[in-house]
Amino acid sequence: MGRRIALLLTLLLALASCARAAQSDLTTPRTGFAVAAPAQEDGRVALYDRPDPASDVLMAYYSGAPLTVLSLEKADMVKVQSGVQGASIMGYMREGDLRYGLEAMRVVPQAYMSIELVRDVDIYAYPDGMAEKIGHLAAGETVLTCGQNDGQWVQLFGLPRAVRGDWDGIPSESGFVEMMTGRGKGAWQAPSVKQWVLPLEGELSYEQAIDRAIELILADDGALPKIPPEERSREALLSYMWDVRLEYYRSTGQAFYSIYLQSADDYEHSANIRMEPDGTLIDMESGNG
């Protein structure tokens, strides 16, 4: 009996080791979430129109650009999609140019191009002037882009976040813009120590983070004086405008939720909350000073 238990423990330890290895394996090609991982932080990863590196390049993506691997192809190629339903592009990439799994967001640096618009521009569902127009951006707005092509098209980069309510000034997070000469001023944003990521297994989802924040507010004993008693109910707080981000610090390897909420009727009724990915409170205070 003792030997059987020892063998079982050995097997369980081996399986646990394999599971940890699988979670940390970012280079084995597989379907699902992935990010562009050029050899250099300021490099590009090409999206080809066929599973052949000699074919036409549809777009070129910056480090950390989020992608979905749809299938594994021959000749060390993968079929991928970039963007969201209704505003996306599909093509092929070299499997070695990607890192795989949600954990890759915390390993591969995020880089993007920031563009201050000089003129009004339309947002398209695909990088083609004949594609459907799905939005509009006004001169003076600043957008982030995750990729570009030689035809002067850029793809908008929606950094991971959860937004509830009608915010003014929140940029569009998907689609394509034809950035002709004179339409905008671009500035390269090199990777920083902080980047926005998606939750891993065992961490709260964005919606769960909102639920946890509401629990903390309802249990508050004075840290949030600007939220009046009549608005301290789940229903009232859900009517607030929310901006939820899971921030990861590359220098320390730590992540935490940064949550800001404010009343749609009175911006003074607001709060900032920081908590661990599992919902443990770090601190909270009234917003807007």
Side-chain angles (χ1 to χ4, degrees), residues 9 15 18 21 36 47 53 82 96 117 151-152 158 174 176 188 225 285 287:
L9 289 174
L15 290 174
C18 289
L47 178 73
S82 176
L117 297 175
Q152 297 183 322
S174 59
F176 302 83
W188 176 251
E285 61 183 5

Side-chain angles (χ1 to χ4, degrees), residues 15 80 85 98 104 135 138 174 191-192 194 218 247 253 266 269 274:
L15 290 174
V80 304
Q85 185 175 2
L98 304 180
S174 59
S192 65
K194 179 181 75 174
L218 295 181
E247 300 177 344
D266 188 338
H269 300 175
R274 291 196 311 157

Side-chain angles (χ1 to χ4, degrees), residues 2 63 80 283:
S63 179
V80 304
D283 55 52

Side-chain angles (χ1 to χ4, degrees), residues 208-279:
Q208 290 172 329
I210 291 175
D211 289 340
R212 175 57 178 156
I214 290 175
E215 290 179 4
L216 293 169
I217 294 171
L218 295 181
D220 169 50
D221 59 359
L224 304 175
K226 292 186 178 181
I227 297 183
E230 62 270 20
E231 295 180 9
R232 289 177 181 256
S233 69
R234 178 178 175 81
E235 181 179 5
L237 291 171
L238 284 176
S239 71
Y240 273 41
M241 299 185 297
W242 293 72
D243 189 345
V244 183
R245 312 174 188 186
L246 182 55
E247 300 177 344
Y248 178 78
Y249 286 79
R250 296 168 56 203
S251 57
T252 63
Q254 295 178 316
F256 65 82
Y257 269 107
S258 176
I259 300 174
Y260 175 76
L261 64 149
Q262 75 173 45
S263 168
D265 300 319
D266 188 338
Y267 75 92
E268 287 290 341
H269 300 175
S270 58
N272 289 300
I273 299 174
R274 291 196 311 157
M275 60 188 180
E276 302 284 354
D278 64 0

